[in-house]
Amino acid sequence: MFLIFVKACKKYRFTYAISSYSANNELTLILRPINTFENIKIEEKLCGLESYCRVFIRAIKKMKKYRKERGY
C-alpha cells in the first residue's frame, strides 16, 4: 500500500511526513502540496497494520480531491 501511496504523491505533486510517535498511540500523516504552504493533516488510532492502510487510502483520496478542486 505504501508504494501506491508514494506513486500517488508523485502523480498529484505532494510531499509527506509520517509520525507514529504520540502519547495517544496515533499515526499522523501530513501532506504538503508542492508550491504551496498548506498542510493537510490525517490522524488515525494505531490498531495494527490496517491503520496504516486506512491512512494511506484516506490520504490518496484527499490528494485527488485537493487537485480536482484547486488544480496544479
Side-chain angles (χ1 to χ4, degrees):
M1 191 68 214
F2 183 71
L3 182 61
I4 295 169
F5 169 73
V6 171
K7 286 183 179 182
C9 285
K10 288 181 182 179
K11 177 180 178 182
Y12 295 118
R13 299 183 59 210
F14 276 79
T15 60
Y16 61 91
I18 299 173
S19 174
S20 62
Y21 177 74
S22 175
N24 298 332
N25 200 19
E26 291 182 343
L27 175 69
T28 304
L29 175 70
I30 299 174
L31 296 171
R32 295 181 184 118
I34 294 176
N35 296 334
T36 65
F37 295 106
E38 295 181 50
N39 288 328
I40 301 169
K41 189 174 184 181
I42 301 170
E43 295 180 336
E44 181 77 32
K45 288 279 187 186
L46 283 176
C47 298
L49 190 58
E50 307 88 34
S51 301
Y52 288 96
C53 291
R54 271 188 258 134
V55 167
F56 293 140
I57 290 170
R58 286 176 44 203
I60 292 169
K61 288 179 181 178
K62 285 194 184 248
M63 287 188 286
K64 186 175 182 179
K65 182 180 176 186
Y66 181 90
R67 289 302 181 195
K68 185 177 181 182
E69 292 175 355
R70 299 185 186 171
Y72 289 86

